[in-house]
Amino acid sequence: MELSKAYAHGEIEAKWYRYWDELGAFRPSDGAERSFSMVIPPPNVTGSLHMGHALNNTLQDILCRYKRMDGYSVLWVPGTDHAGIATQNVVERQLAQEGISRAQLGREKFIARVWQWKEEAGNTILNQLKALGVSCDWRHERFTMDEGLSRAVREAFVRLWEDGLLYRAERLVNWCPRCKTALADIEVVHEETDGHLWHIRYPFVDDPSGGLTVATTRPETMLGDTAVAVHPDDERYKNAVGKRVRLPIVGRELPVIGDVYVDPAFGTGALKITPGHDFNDFEIGQKYGLEKICIFDDEAKIRPAAFAIEGREPAWLARYRLKDRFEARKLVVDELKANGLLEKVEPYRLALGRCYRCQTPVEPYLTPQWFVKIQPLAAPAIEVVRDGRVRIVPEGWANSYFAWMENIKDWCISRQIWWGHQIPAWYCADCNAGHAIKTGTGDLILDKDAKPIVARAEPTRCPVCGGEKFIRDPDVLDTWFSSGLWPFSTLGWPERTEDLKRFYPTSVLVTGFDILFFWVARMIMMGLKFMGDVPFRDVYIHALVRDQEGQKMSKSKGNVIDPLEIMGKYGADAFRFTLAAMAAMGRDIKLAEERIDGYQNFVNKLWNAARFVLMNLTIRNIDGKETSERPGHEELNVADRWILSRLAATVGSVREAIDSYRFNEYAHYLYQFTWHEFCDWHIEMSKLALNGGDENERRRTERVLATVLENILLLLHPVMPFVTEEIWRALNDKLGRKEAGLTLMLQKYPRVEAAYRRPEVEEKIGYLMEITRAVRNLRAEMNCAPSKEVKVILFASADNRAFLRSQERYLRALARVGSVDYLSDGERPKGAATAIVGETEVYVPLGDMIDLEEEKIRLDRELGRAEEDLARVKRKLGNGDFVAKAKEAVVRREKEKAAEFEEKIRTLKLSLGRIREIEQTGDKA
RNA sequence: GGUCGCAUAGCUCAGUUGGUUAGAGCGCGCGCCUCACAUGCGCGAGGUCGUAGGUUCAACUCCUACUGCGACCACCA
């Protein structure tokens, strides 16, 4: 099989993916003693692949493929999330385009419609993940609303109820008037917003000319005020406490209460109390037994019923009824202004809470909801992170985790939407006859006093009255409730399955920090509660992918880079490698397309290195019996020993990097080794053996080339699975290896071959490389044509001289050197460019070509640097404290440096002297 | 308001226990179609490591303050 001149990812990727899948390579192996498991952070079922998914899944795939090759039985569970509110919103928007509302359709038909959409769109993202190359076990694919997971959800809910960790109560909750549902605290995003502080006077009942002036950012809520509060020690309001004020517009009488909660320094020092629409006011309302008036309906429009007295609406209400919050605000402000009660308006910055799904400002809203008593769950979840049973990497995130968990409040888990897990609670129709209220959409709402029966299935008989008619709670659960069970629900819980035994706790969870609280924290709590063990050992938290300016990618900004487009253009391997290379811990990734373009070159480089090796291989069957006795290390030439030593070092570094989630280091070690050690040096040096005429050496070098190439493929496979597989198959083909195995994916990951580590060889080749560079440098500086061979004169220690003599062919080939002469003490060439490598002096006599002025400038510059270096070292050594206190090795090293620099200076000065001499005599010979 | 993080070459970033001649990729400059690769090869220029102090024989690295940027959390109307 011939490889084409440039790597074309085109069909290769799909070909291999299908191959692996059909081979069953994604499934956990039997037999392996160690297992490694992960659950995918389930993407929204109707979503499509974005950069965040691409990064997240690339990193997971690297881990899985690495562990699989390293002998673990690997299970990576894929799946999708039903994403309650998000998905419902999408489908509602679709309906809206058809001019249908969800209410018109009705609950059942609406849900059917969502399922239909799920069937249409649900596979998109998973297929896109396949294009990325993820090695998930597709037989394990799950959906948070499939049968098994739904059962897990019901089970979890019932157990929480039975254990007293669930309750239903009327509380002030965050309400999204657009989604018309309650939200958890964490689903509200606070955003600094420009607003106003309105100062409104509430006249005293007994003296309407006086009164208290309150300051508020939300004047429309005054319609629901039930008190005014001041600080009890506030001199200004000493005699106001206990009096009554009349609420403007509404006319209601309000008590003036004194409470230390009020900050006298803020605003006017007088605070309007609206227990129905403000969390703080709610608390105060509780404390003083104030009435909680809910002035809005579920769309945050003025609710006439809130003001009707004995069924009759007061006259003032006419202009307000059914107006939304913001219209109402305007109207209230206008009316107050007209009445001379608006005393002042000042600009004010406030943190406005918005719905995380639709950005609508959230309204504190009084409704009955289901809550999880979170304290008993949070405490052990904090503990396991503290004692390291769950390790958060990078550990900085643990701080955020603790901060959040320690201040956590009860979790509102009921949502007034239709798409999701309907709460497994029923109400006896007879017992709750007075508590079920029909809404406009035909839904029933159970009021706060309704008595739920929580059960795994619909009850048949009411234990109180024996009634047989039940109403199911219409609410569904927070999406994150089911995601919280994901690590064990996907493995079969509540059944005690083999998978659970084998793969729970999972090994590591890879995710972005944006869902640390939404998801990670919940999984830890739920895992501990229901499994009695942590859901994962490690949590690796990766960064966000941003655009090249560091802006968050978003459709509205138009700065989104589409992973699919990128993969189509550059290939999945180049893309994956880019993401890994840029995934430095704890730092966001600023991605520009040029980076991917750059790493595509690396893929191509690897491809061409492979082409070189393949076209030079004449040996066959290097792994078969005949050749399993590899050549003794000592028989190999120095270049081969060197690259094997470097390979061994690289294997060590690579393993360490992946083991500690340093994906960028993993990528960079391999980039460096493949390109700058293997290609730049070893392949070049190997050409001498391949063309040298010594048949034995040639065969040995071929074997080394094949070995190194194969190891590179193995090492790179987790990050670039496709091209490595493609090359590996070609390599097997070329070697005639039938027994090599079916796929690179299931080969053993390289281990460090300690016997190959040869520091002394690395040192020698390092020296040879430096000499080579020095000669190349001199050539370039002197503008010596690359095609022209030069003569080199070396002055080196006996050791180095012997080494260079024995390996002279490399120097000749790599630096285009015609002849090499070795000087003994005393003699130095007259007209030559000079370079110094350690103790070695390198001279390139360039005859007529040498520009004496240029060379003098160059030498002067070198000399200047050397003198600076020497001065710095001398300064250190001259410091008595340094010599006395620093470690001996450090001092010794400094002394060596001093000697080296002195020698260098001496040599440079001599060279300069010789040039001046030539200038005077004109004799260049 | 609280907490945390980040400031290193023109750009994007590495730099794991304090001691290196502070690195890479891209970009830039010069020279090359050298028989794996011009998606390439060789060479080179470019940084007082945000500012000011402190600890230490020694600070890019540790501490403090400041400045700038960012993130998360937060019910002060």
Side-chain angles (χ1 to χ4, degrees):
Chain A
M1 175 154 91
E2 280 293 307
L3 298 184
S4 60
K5 192 166 173 181
Y7 172 62
H9 58 271
E11 283 137 40
I12 288 175
E13 298 179 354
K15 175 184 79 180
W16 289 122
Y17 199 86
R18 213 178 314 117
Y19 178 79
W20 293 325
D21 201 11
E22 283 164 10
L23 201 61
F26 299 146
R27 302 208 286 259
S29 59
D30 301 325
E33 281 173 26
R34 303 177 297 177
S35 56
F36 178 88
S37 56
M38 283 193 330
V39 289
I40 203 170
N44 291 359
V45 64
T46 57
S48 63
L49 193 74
H50 60 59
M51 277 296 164
H53 297 125
L55 171 67
N56 178 248
N57 287 285
T58 293
L59 301 184
Q60 291 180 85
D61 198 42
I62 289 171
L63 292 175
C64 277
R65 287 177 182 271
Y66 166 63
K67 290 290 179 180
R68 200 178 284 119
M69 292 172 79
D70 207 22
Y72 289 77
S73 175
V74 172
L75 174 64
W76 183 11
V77 178
T80 46
D81 192 287
H82 67 279
I85 299 175
T87 304
Q88 172 155 332
N89 284 352
V90 170
V91 175
E92 277 191 78
R93 270 199 297 276
Q94 290 177 358
L95 286 174
Q97 291 196 336
E98 300 165 26
I100 311 170
S101 76
R102 132 165 97 113
Q104 281 172 292
L105 210 54
R107 184 166 186 146
E108 234 168 85
K109 283 192 181 154
F110 179 80
I111 291 174
R113 175 76 190 237
V114 182
W115 274 106
Q116 186 195 328
W117 166 241
K118 185 256 169 192
E119 296 308 324
E120 286 166 23
N123 284 327
T124 309
I125 192 155
L126 297 180
N127 288 331
Q128 291 169 331
L129 284 173
K130 288 177 186 176
L132 187 66
V134 296
S135 59
C136 304
D137 182 0
W138 296 105
R139 291 191 319 178
H140 263 89
E141 183 189 331
R142 287 304 175 86
F143 174 52
T144 48
M145 271 174 62
D146 67 24
E147 189 43 48
L149 268 63
S150 298
R151 188 176 158 212
V153 165
R154 288 194 300 273
E155 180 69 23
F157 189 90
V158 172
R159 284 208 204 165
L160 287 173
W161 176 260
E162 287 169 351
D163 293 346
L165 294 173
L166 267 186
Y167 62 93
R168 185 172 187 273
E170 184 175 66
R171 291 285 144 82
L172 205 53
V173 294
N174 301 292
W175 183 269
C176 174
R178 212 233 39 103
C179 302
K180 290 203 262 184
T181 180
L183 299 170
D185 293 343
I186 194 180
E187 292 171 319
V188 177
V189 286
H190 294 271
E191 193 180 49
E192 288 270 309
T193 313
D194 283 317
H196 303 275
L197 200 54
W198 280 275
H199 292 58
I200 309 168
R201 185 165 65 88
Y202 290 6
F204 287 123
V205 171
D206 58 10
D207 174 17
S209 63
L212 290 177
T213 300
V214 299
T216 179
T217 56
R218 299 201 53 200
E220 72 280 11
T221 63
M222 60 90 71
L223 300 175
D225 283 2
T226 50
V228 170
V230 296
H231 192 99
D233 302 334
D234 193 329
E235 287 302 322
R236 294 171 293 180
Y237 303 124
K238 258 272 130 81
N239 44 23
V241 177
K243 288 174 93 166
R244 297 179 80 76
V245 294
R246 187 170 306 282
L247 185 62
I249 303 177
V250 182
R252 191 186 308 130
E253 286 188 19
L254 310 179
V256 177
I257 56 183
D259 194 282
V260 291
Y261 166 76
V262 180
D263 176 4
F266 188 90
T268 61
L271 173 62
K272 70 193 258 314
I273 303 295
T274 323
H277 293 282
D278 183 281
F279 290 97
N280 296 306
D281 296 4
F282 182 84
E283 302 274 310
I284 295 177
Q286 292 283 76
K287 189 165 164 188
Y288 292 92
L290 299 173
E291 191 190 350
K292 298 181 265 286
I293 302 175
C294 186
I295 65 169
F296 297 125
D297 61 16
D298 61 0
E299 292 181 294
K301 290 177 176 156
I302 298 289
R303 187 173 70 97
F307 304 98
I309 300 157
E310 287 162 15
R312 297 183 52 198
E313 294 180 14
W316 66 265
L317 186 59
R319 57 195 296 239
Y320 292 98
R321 59 195 319 280
L322 296 178
K323 291 286 193 292
D324 83 21
R325 295 175 283 180
F326 306 105
E327 288 176 74
R329 176 176 304 173
K330 236 177 267 158
L331 293 169
V332 165
V333 169
D334 286 347
E335 187 163 351
L336 290 172
K337 207 184 285 174
N339 297 342
L341 294 171
L342 185 67
E343 302 207 321
K344 193 160 114 189
V345 184
E346 48 188 15
Y348 186 72
R349 294 280 289 173
L350 66 153
L352 184 64
R354 293 174 182 276
C355 169
Y356 83 137
R357 287 303 183 199
C358 73
Q359 319 325 314
T360 303
V362 157
E363 185 64 41
Y365 194 53
L366 196 60
T367 46
Q369 301 288 346
W370 290 87
F371 294 87
V372 174
K373 222 183 264 178
I374 208 75
Q375 209 55 51
L377 296 173
I382 291 170
E383 208 39 49
V384 293
V385 173
R386 252 191 228 302
D387 67 20
R389 285 170 62 199
V390 169
R391 208 164 58 100
I392 296 181
V393 183
E395 57 188 345
W397 289 108
N399 280 330
S400 306
Y401 176 82
F402 292 134
W404 191 72
M405 290 291 273
E406 278 158 7
N407 297 304
I408 196 166
K409 297 202 186 110
D410 283 357
W411 176 15
C412 174
I413 52 169
S414 43
R415 298 289 176 273
Q416 286 64 50
I417 58 171
W418 290 344
W419 175 242
H421 297 282
Q422 194 168 353
I423 287 178
W426 287 263
Y427 302 85
C428 168
D430 294 335
C431 298
N432 295 288
H435 302 302
I437 307 149
K438 229 181 171 84
T439 68
T441 53
D443 267 341
L444 283 172
I445 290 184
L446 284 305
D447 79 10
K448 64 178 163 50
D449 298 316
K451 296 274 178 300
I453 300 169
V454 171
R456 290 169 181 82
E458 179 166 351
T460 48
R461 175 177 292 268
C462 173
V464 177
C465 73
E468 293 180 357
K469 225 178 133 228
F470 293 92
I471 303 161
R472 182 158 187 184
D473 194 303
D475 289 355
V476 302
L477 286 166
D478 183 355
T479 291
W480 299 100
F481 187 91
S482 53
S483 338
L485 313 175
W486 187 250
F488 46 95
S489 64
T490 53
L491 295 175
W493 188 86
E495 299 293 324
R496 280 201 222 100
T497 58
E498 272 304 304
D499 278 345
L500 267 183
K501 258 186 253 166
R502 220 169 135 197
F503 295 115
Y504 191 94
T506 63
S507 311
V508 49
L509 180 86
V510 178
T511 188
F513 60 81
D514 49 333
I515 50 177
L516 181 61
F517 307 137
F518 278 106
W519 193 44
V520 178
R522 267 82 176 260
M523 284 190 287
I524 296 176
M525 292 190 277
M526 300 292 216
L528 289 169
K529 170 70 187 163
F530 295 112
M531 294 295 298
D533 200 353
V534 298
F536 27 71
R537 306 279 180 217
D538 286 359
V539 179
Y540 175 70
I541 296 180
H542 62 245
L544 222 61
V545 184
R546 298 170 174 277
D547 76 0
Q548 52 196 320
E549 262 85 49
Q551 298 285 314
K552 229 175 187 159
M553 287 190 188
S554 75
K555 278 182 204 153
S556 55
K557 279 184 208 144
N559 61 348
V560 175
I561 305 179
D562 178 6
L564 292 163
E565 214 174 287
I566 292 292
M567 286 192 274
K569 200 160 159 193
Y570 303 99
D573 291 319
F575 179 48
R576 291 167 58 115
F577 194 87
T578 306
L579 291 173
M582 298 186 77
M585 223 180 259
R587 202 188 268 258
D588 283 347
I589 296 176
K590 291 185 199 166
L591 188 67
E593 200 172 320
E594 299 88 77
R595 317 313 305 280
I596 305 153
D597 190 53
Y599 284 116
Q600 189 193 22
N601 296 347
F602 176 60
V603 177
N604 191 58
K605 187 74 182 175
L606 171 67
W607 182 258
N608 277 289
R611 283 181 65 220
F612 173 83
V613 173
L614 293 188
M615 70 179 58
N616 280 289
L617 280 184
T618 58
I619 54 168
R620 295 180 67 80
N621 202 27
I622 59 165
D623 275 358
K625 282 214 177 63
E626 163 231 341
T627 52
S628 66
E629 325 116 32
R630 293 185 180 165
H633 199 258
E634 299 310 325
E635 292 173 42
L636 297 175
N637 68 37
V638 66
D640 289 343
R641 275 187 282 160
W642 171 75
I643 197 64
L644 290 175
S645 180
R646 293 304 308 143
L647 172 64
T650 302
V651 170
S653 305
V654 159
R655 280 181 166 270
E656 206 182 317
I658 307 184
D659 286 337
S660 50
Y661 306 109
R662 290 200 277 259
F663 298 97
N664 61 323
E665 290 186 10
Y666 161 57
H668 285 131
Y669 280 126
L670 284 171
Y671 184 96
Q672 173 67 24
F673 176 74
T674 304
W675 199 316
H676 298 306
E677 296 188 312
F678 184 52
C679 292
D680 287 355
W681 292 94
H682 184 258
I683 284 188
E684 292 307 319
M685 292 193 283
S686 76
K687 288 174 181 172
L688 295 162
L690 295 174
N691 304 318
D694 177 339
E695 192 55 28
N696 287 329
E697 185 188 24
R698 181 188 160 88
R699 293 169 64 89
R700 287 195 291 263
T701 291
E702 280 184 32
R703 190 161 303 164
V704 170
L705 284 168
T707 300
V708 174
L709 174 64
E710 182 165 30
N711 274 278
I712 287 172
L713 298 175
L714 290 161
L715 291 167
L716 277 172
H717 180 263
V719 66
M720 22 176 89
F722 298 110
V723 67
T724 50
E725 178 87 62
E726 179 76 7
I727 297 172
W728 190 72
R729 303 299 291 242
L731 179 65
N732 285 336
D733 203 36
K734 181 82 186 187
L735 290 169
R737 285 199 303 202
K738 298 269 189 305
E739 70 280 26
L742 295 164
T743 169
L744 175 62
M745 203 183 139
L746 299 178
Q747 302 303 304
K748 290 267 165 287
Y749 207 71
R751 300 188 160 278
V752 177
E753 304 240 24
Y756 284 168
R757 284 310 304 275
R758 292 300 157 102
E760 73 287 355
V761 174
E762 290 194 23
E763 200 183 313
K764 282 296 183 199
I765 293 290
Y767 173 70
L768 175 67
M769 284 158 65
E770 279 191 79
I771 300 288
T772 304
R773 281 199 200 97
V775 176
R776 284 171 175 171
N777 181 346
L778 292 179
R779 296 178 56 113
E781 300 264 356
M782 294 300 120
N783 291 320
C784 170
S787 52
K788 193 177 160 79
E789 288 193 334
V790 295
K791 195 172 155 197
V792 170
I793 302 167
L794 297 165
F795 175 74
S797 68
D799 254 16
N800 284 332
R801 196 159 55 209
F803 170 71
L804 289 173
R805 271 218 166 92
S806 67
Q807 308 301 334
E808 204 175 283
R809 58 178 179 164
Y810 293 124
L811 186 58
R812 285 166 174 275
L814 297 173
R816 291 223 156 221
V817 171
S819 71
V820 188
D821 288 332
Y822 301 88
L823 297 175
S824 36
D825 276 338
E827 14 164 5
R828 290 293 184 279
K830 259 188 169 175
T834 310
I836 292 152
V837 176
E839 52 79 51
T840 304
E841 297 165 25
V842 180
Y843 299 100
V844 176
L846 290 168
D848 298 331
M849 290 186 356
I850 189 165
D851 180 333
L852 291 177
E853 261 325 290
E854 282 289 312
E855 178 65 1
K856 223 163 65 175
I857 291 166
R858 207 180 59 80
L859 288 175
D860 265 327
R861 200 174 55 210
E862 287 284 305
L863 184 60
R865 283 180 191 161
E867 278 169 342
E868 272 173 39
D869 289 341
L870 180 63
R872 191 185 51 249
V873 173
K874 280 236 162 120
R875 219 175 302 129
K876 266 194 194 175
L877 289 169
N879 182 338
D881 281 331
F882 171 71
V883 180
K885 293 183 185 173
K887 275 176 279 183
E888 200 197 330
V890 174
V891 177
R892 198 181 334 118
R893 176 85 193 100
E894 290 300 315
K895 283 182 179 160
E896 283 166 13
K897 276 198 259 176
E900 206 175 290
F901 291 140
E902 271 167 354
E903 178 59 23
K904 188 170 185 175
I905 288 165
R906 203 181 59 81
T907 310
L908 286 169
K909 280 185 173 161
L910 286 174
S911 286
L912 271 169
R914 281 194 299 278
I915 285 183
R916 290 204 190 90
E917 205 176 299
I918 296 167
E919 278 179 328
Q920 282 159 15
T921 63
D923 177 12
K924 283 190 184 177

